[in-house]
Amino acid sequence: MAYKELARNKAFDGHVVKYEHASTELSCNMKFNVFLPKESQHGAVPAIYFLSGLTCTEDNFIQKSGALAEAAKHGVALIAPDTSPRGAGIEGEDDSWDFGTGAGFYLDATDPKWAKHYRMYSYITRELPALVNKELPIDGTKVSIMGHSMGGHGALTIYLKNATNYKTVSAFSPIANPVNCPWGQKAFSNYLGVDDKEAWKEYDTVELLKKLDNVKVHALVDVGTSDNFLERELKIDTLKETVAAQGQQWTIRYQDGYDHSYFFISTFIADHIQHHAQYLKQ
């Protein structure tokens, strides 16, 4: 699991550091960014993983979200991985923006064509944390997860399947019910096969919530009312109905006039960092 530092920039008395490593899960080299607050110079700090959306890389969130100031305020690290393997050389992986490169959907592919490389679920839940906890001043017992769009889907599903590994979860504009939206159906039919619809449900927030027994999740979800993908792709109304039916205590906020962009994320990122910080510091 050899890794190397590619770049380091001082920010808010801490540092943003870009790393590259050879991933065994994805069978390629992967990059990720980490914001290390100044407190990390004296010991391990809590951390929040941020999973980005379709077409994004490890850079979008770090450069565009405005999260660094709030993370520095709370002494919390930010870990921003890439959204898919890169350069796998699979026929068709670069043909469309919403599938393949930049669109790993945070699952482990089972279709033989994709199964060797497209294993973002195992990468995010196992391989990357093992590397980070071993090599960086991160307290692996105080970790949360959040994401945007496809990454919001990833954060919510990963949390629901691994709740003991994370203190809490939040999401911006998540793809909440991918088995019932075009983005999810396209990804799942290719990565997981068209026939095994039960396997699809294992990567669907709404479906996972239906099976959640005696576990209270305190999640924060924000979505803009002017999001072009709100009805067709995100299915937040379905999520809200399922949360209520399951007796969960989620905060789901419809933010008037906001869209799907990083302008929206940057407006409410402080709320999300604060949401995580209160649980990370308990």
Side-chain angles (χ1 to χ4, degrees):
M1 201 183 287
Y3 81 110
K4 62 180 178 180
E5 182 177 315
L6 299 180
R8 178 179 290 259
N9 297 93
K10 189 170 184 179
F12 297 97
D13 291 326
H15 289 87
V16 175
V17 192
K18 182 187 286 288
Y19 296 100
E20 182 178 48
H21 74 109
S23 168
T24 55
E25 286 288 356
L26 307 179
S27 299
C28 67
N29 287 339
M30 290 293 286
K31 297 175 183 177
F32 64 98
N33 281 308
V34 180
F35 169 67
L36 294 170
K38 63 181 180 181
E39 289 83 354
S40 67
Q41 299 172 23
H42 308 292
V45 296
I48 305 168
Y49 283 80
F50 185 91
L51 307 184
S52 289
L54 291 164
T55 75
C56 290
T57 70
E58 71 281 358
D59 291 330
N60 297 73
F61 173 73
I62 290 293
Q63 295 178 359
K64 298 170 71 174
S65 69
L68 302 186
E70 196 67 22
K73 175 181 171 182
H74 292 283
V76 173
L78 301 172
I79 301 167
D82 203 348
T83 51
S84 76
R86 300 279 169 175
I90 302 172
E91 181 185 3
E93 71 174 347
D94 296 321
D95 288 353
S96 57
W97 65 272
D98 56 355
F99 177 76
T101 302
F105 264 85
Y106 304 102
L107 51 74
D108 284 349
T110 54
D111 184 275
K113 181 177 179 179
W114 305 97
K116 178 181 178 181
H117 294 283
Y118 280 74
R119 297 179 51 80
M120 288 298 293
Y121 176 83
S122 288
Y123 177 72
I124 296 297
T125 60
R126 294 203 295 267
E127 184 176 18
L128 183 58
L131 172 63
V132 165
N133 295 344
K134 179 182 178 183
E135 303 292 348
L136 301 178
I138 301 298
D139 184 345
T141 68
K142 295 180 179 180
V143 174
S144 288
I145 190 166
M146 65 176 171
H148 171 234
S149 194
M150 178 185 71
H153 141 78
L156 292 173
T157 55
I158 284 171
Y159 179 87
L160 291 174
K161 296 172 73 169
N162 304 271
T164 58
N165 293 345
Y166 304 96
K167 295 297 185 182
T168 189
V169 63
S170 75
F172 294 92
S173 316
I175 305 170
N177 190 204
V179 302
N180 288 317
C181 79
W183 281 343
Q185 291 166 348
K186 179 178 180 177
F188 289 3
S189 62
N190 283 280
Y191 291 137
L192 303 173
V194 296
D195 297 324
D196 191 359
K197 298 295 177 60
E198 289 301 310
W200 292 20
K201 294 179 181 179
E202 290 301 308
Y203 299 104
D204 184 293
T205 299
V206 166
E207 295 296 333
L208 289 171
L209 273 170
K210 293 176 182 177
K211 302 190 300 183
L212 201 62
D213 293 325
N214 300 318
V215 178
K216 292 296 182 183
V217 179
H218 297 284
L220 172 62
V221 175
D222 275 316
V223 67
T225 61
S226 294
D227 191 316
N228 291 335
F229 307 112
L230 181 58
E231 300 300 329
R232 179 178 169 87
E233 303 287 0
L234 305 185
K235 307 294 184 183
I236 303 302
D237 288 348
T238 303
L239 174 64
K240 189 172 183 178
E241 292 166 3
T242 306
V243 165
Q246 297 301 116
Q248 293 289 338
Q249 299 175 353
W250 291 32
T251 300
I252 299 177
R253 308 189 302 190
Y254 292 78
Q255 303 291 2
D256 186 46
Y258 286 90
D259 57 20
H260 200 73
S261 71
Y262 269 87
F263 296 113
F264 163 58
I265 294 174
S266 64
T267 302
F268 298 102
I269 190 64
D271 290 354
H272 285 247
I273 300 293
Q274 290 165 18
H275 167 77
H276 292 287
Q278 67 176 325
Y279 291 96
L280 290 169
K281 293 182 175 182
Q282 286 181 356

